[in-house]
């Protein structure tokens, strides 16, 4: 009978491990899909940001040779 108990215990352990691995695979698949979706969303946002920057450059009439940030950094600081 010990042999039967041992076989049943092994079968139970095998079933448990297989179930656990399936759960892990499912969770990794879900995480992977979520990450890919977030990356796609980020790519879309970056594209929109690039378009907005391009539109702002056009509205300012500049060719982008000097950014407004650079011009404010070059001004002398009167508080010193």
């Amino acid at each position: 009978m010990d042999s039967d108990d041992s076989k049943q215990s092994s079968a139970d352990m095998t079933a448990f491990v297989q179930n656990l691995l399936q759960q892990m695979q499912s969770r990794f698949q879900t995480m992977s899909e979520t990450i890919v979706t977030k990356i796609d969303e980020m790519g879309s946002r970056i594209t929109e940001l690039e378009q907005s920057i391009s539109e702002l450059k056009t509205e300012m009439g500049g060719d982008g040779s000097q950014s407004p940030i650079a011009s404010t950094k070059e001004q002398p600081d009167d508080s010193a």
Side-chain angles (χ1 to χ4, degrees):
M1 254 188 152
D2 290 339
S3 174
D4 288 341
D5 288 345
S6 177
K7 287 179 183 178
Q8 183 61 40
S9 179
S10 275
D12 289 345
M13 183 60 75
T14 300
F16 173 78
V17 170
Q18 286 177 341
N19 185 33
L20 187 62
L21 290 173
Q22 287 174 348
Q23 288 177 5
M24 289 174 59
Q25 182 179 6
S26 175
R27 288 179 183 168
F28 279 121
Q29 182 68 31
T30 301
M31 285 192 305
S32 176
E33 290 170 359
T34 302
I35 290 169
V36 169
T37 300
K38 296 285 185 187
I39 289 172
D40 288 344
E41 289 173 1
M42 193 182 313
S44 296
R45 289 180 180 178
I46 289 171
T47 300
E48 290 172 7
L49 183 59
E50 289 173 338
Q51 289 173 349
S52 295
I53 290 171
S54 178
E55 289 171 6
L56 284 173
K57 284 181 178 180
T58 302
E59 287 177 13
M60 291 171 47
D63 58 0
S65 61
Q66 183 176 5
S67 72
I69 296 171
S71 64
T72 57
K73 286 183 179 178
E74 293 172 3
Q75 292 176 354
D77 187 8
D78 293 335
S79 64

